[in-house]
Amino acid sequence: MSEDNRIIQFLENESVDSALLDGVREYTEKYPVKEELKERIPRPDCPYYGKEVWEKALSAILTVKNLLLTGPRATGKNIFAENLAALFERPAWNISFHVGADAAYILGTDTFDGEKVTFRPGPLTEASEKGGFAVLDEVNMAKNEALSVMHSGLDHRRILDIPGYRKVDIDPASRFIGTMNYGYAGTREMNEALCSRFVVLEMPVIAEGDMERLLKTRFPGLKPQMASQFSKLFYELNNKAENGEISDRAPDLRGLLDALDMMSMGTPSGAALDMCITNKTFDRYERGLVRDVIRARIPADLKKESIFG
Ligand SMILES: Nc1ncnc2c1ncn2[C@@H]1O[C@H](COP(=O)(O)OP(=O)(O)OP(=O)(O)O)[C@@H](O)[C@H]1O
Ligand SMILES: [Mg+2]
């Protein structure tokens, strides 16, 4: 394991089960990453906070399971997948499973280079051949025909059979991490055949203590009393959404972090929170409710100097 693996140091400080961390060390020693693939190892800009999620995921990855991260928006599914690849020191490939994703995009396709036809491997094939972590992003959104090409890779066979190319044995170091959003319009259920090939980890909303740590990491200059106010605001919006008083568009952690980014550039608090949170609800009545909750906690005219020290 490389000495500057900051994530294993972070997990030691979080008191993550030491047997799991020993397993990670064994894995990285067994599967050293090739020099030319090192630039593909993600460098996440913040750690994923949530000890239980870490322990569940490490157990799954060490026992060669495909891991499906499910949960509402902005619960850190992608940042966690990046953290996992960084911890295990694996090159990562991201594959977007939009409705138009097909076998050619996922597995690869023949291309003509002016002289001859060659096969250009797709991201799933590359990750499978090169011992990478493949992040199957929003995997429920693709069409079933496209997904079925992965079945033999995701079960005990660990093989991709690519017509016109060859059989690809999946490298023992490779892992597949799916993400799946649910809970709002436009999301689809995942078909059973695919779902049964994953272990499913439900991603919780970040815990209150971790939320303040996240804000401190992302915004080192944020005043402590402001960090506490923004954190409380997030949970207020979250509770209202859980009680059905507002939709789940407002309690969007990504929106809150975006608003803080804009405030740090000098946008007044009210305008930043409107743009990043309130205006994402399109029902006028609901928008009024969301704005009231925000204004009750954060005055609209706060300037950068009162928020950041
Ligand atoms: N537990 C957490 N630890 C660290 N960061 C978190 C956590 N939960 C959410 N975040 C932050 O929330 C933001 C959104 O994270 P990310 O994009 O990974 O979410 P997601 O679950 O993939 O969202 P979506 O479902 O909308 O794609 C990031 O800035 C991330 O750092
Ligand atoms: Mg995501």
Side-chain angles (χ1 to χ4, degrees):
M1 170 163 288
S2 77
E3 274 174 22
D4 61 350
N5 189 322
R6 279 181 297 158
I7 305 205
I8 200 140
Q9 292 163 15
F10 166 77
L11 295 180
E12 279 165 359
N13 292 336
E14 299 287 290
S15 322
V16 163
D17 185 346
S18 60
L20 292 169
L21 297 183
D22 287 344
V24 175
R25 287 190 197 91
E26 262 171 47
Y27 172 104
T28 54
E29 253 129 63
K30 195 166 166 193
Y31 305 116
V33 64
K34 292 204 180 91
E35 200 53 46
E36 70 266 24
L37 292 174
K38 280 194 174 155
E39 58 163 28
R40 272 205 166 263
I41 302 177
R43 288 179 200 80
D45 57 7
C46 81
Y48 173 83
Y49 294 102
K51 180 181 167 194
E52 269 186 38
V53 167
W54 272 110
E55 290 184 338
K56 289 178 188 164
L58 295 187
S59 169
I61 299 245
L62 289 170
T63 55
V64 202
K65 306 289 179 273
N66 308 310
L67 183 62
L68 179 64
L69 308 174
T70 68
R73 93 163 51 73
T75 41
K77 297 182 288 296
N78 285 92
I79 195 91
F80 185 52
E82 276 182 27
N83 267 253
L84 282 170
L87 171 70
F88 283 90
E89 301 180 351
R90 296 327 293 171
W93 278 263
N94 194 75
I95 311 162
S96 290
F97 282 79
H98 47 84
V99 280
D102 58 6
Y105 161 68
I106 297 167
L107 297 178
T109 184
D110 285 335
T111 55
F112 185 61
D113 66 6
E115 284 179 13
K116 57 182 185 321
V117 174
T118 48
F119 180 78
R120 191 183 60 213
L124 192 79
T125 307
E126 285 221 82
S128 302
E129 288 185 309
K130 294 178 176 164
F133 275 23
V135 179
L136 318 177
D137 204 19
E138 317 240 345
V139 64
N140 52 312
M141 297 305 276
K143 290 203 273 302
N144 288 342
E145 306 83 82
L147 296 171
S148 61
V149 301
M150 302 195 299
H151 284 178
S152 59
L154 295 176
D155 60 30
H156 63 279
R157 292 172 279 177
R158 285 186 60 93
I159 277 179
L160 294 174
D161 196 353
I162 305 174
Y165 184 50
R166 60 186 176 85
K167 269 195 188 146
V168 171
D169 284 320
I170 290 170
D171 188 285
S174 294
R175 297 290 186 275
F176 303 97
I177 303 171
T179 78
M180 168 171 168
N181 231 307
Y182 63 76
Y184 58 86
T187 56
R188 285 160 42 102
E189 285 227 353
M190 184 190 258
N191 79 64
E192 268 178 52
L194 189 63
C195 198
S196 102
R197 286 167 167 79
F198 283 95
V199 297
V200 182
L201 175 44
E202 224 177 292
M203 300 289 280
V205 170
I206 190 168
E208 263 187 88
D210 289 337
M211 172 76 163
E212 292 204 17
R213 291 202 296 162
L214 171 64
L215 292 178
K216 266 187 212 135
T217 311
R218 294 287 283 264
F219 304 97
L222 185 63
K223 292 183 177 171
Q225 75 271 27
M226 291 313 298
S228 156
Q229 289 301 316
F230 283 110
S231 166
K232 288 193 176 115
L233 170 62
F234 173 73
Y235 291 104
E236 258 164 30
L237 291 169
N238 212 50
N239 284 342
K240 290 214 181 298
E242 272 175 12
N243 295 336
E245 293 168 51
I246 55 174
S247 70
D248 61 5
R249 280 170 181 267
D252 177 352
L253 182 49
R254 188 179 288 122
L256 184 64
L257 298 174
D258 287 347
L260 281 162
D261 272 332
M262 291 184 66
M263 289 177 227
S264 75
M265 286 302 290
T267 309
S269 52
L273 290 162
D274 272 348
M275 286 172 73
C276 300
I277 300 181
T278 320
N279 295 352
K280 291 183 186 175
T281 51
F282 293 106
D283 176 274
R284 204 194 303 166
Y285 174 72
E286 185 189 346
R287 202 184 306 169
L289 288 179
V290 170
R291 189 175 286 121
D292 288 347
V293 176
I294 294 179
R295 295 285 188 270
R297 195 162 277 287
I298 315 275
D301 54 357
L302 287 185
K303 297 262 164 40
K304 181 178 169 184
E305 303 72 56
S306 352
I307 303 170
F308 300 91

